[in-house]
Amino acid sequence: MNEHAEYSVLLFEDDADHAALTTATLAADSLRVWHVTHVDSLAAGLDTLRQGSWDCILLDLNIRDSNGLDTFHAVAEIASNIPIIINSG
C-alpha cells in the first residue's frame, strides 16, 4: 500500500492565474497530497485561517486589501505556530 503524506495549505493570492499555477504545481507532487484552500483577500484569509487547521500558509504580501509587511503581520498574529512561506510573483 502506497501511503502519501497529506498537507493542508492556505494560499493567499489575488491573481487567479498565479493561484492556479501554485495549485497545479503542488498537485504534481507524486509523494504528497496537498489540500489547497485559496483566498483572494486578507479579510477572507483571516476568517478562513481562524476556521481551519493548517500545515502551512503560502502568502502573497500584496493582496487585494493589504500589502507588504502589514499583510505578513496580520497573518502571523493569528498563525504564530504555522510556517508562513512568502509567495511572490
Side-chain angles (χ1 to χ4, degrees), residues 14-56:
D14 61 355
D15 183 305
D17 291 336
H18 290 172
L21 178 61
T22 299
T23 301
T25 300
L26 291 173
D29 184 349
S30 63
L31 300 176
R32 293 162 210 82
V33 176
W34 298 92
H35 301 284
V36 179
T37 299
H38 170 231
V39 295
D40 65 359
S41 70
L42 179 63
L46 295 179
D47 287 342
T48 303
L49 181 58
R50 289 182 184 102
Q51 296 173 18
S53 176
W54 308 100
D55 294 305
C56 73

Side-chain angles (χ1 to χ4, degrees), residues 52-68:
S53 176
W54 308 100
D55 294 305
C56 73
I57 296 168
L58 296 178
L59 180 65
D60 182 354
L61 292 179
N62 296 312
I63 197 160
R64 178 176 308 164
D65 54 350
S66 184
N67 61 54

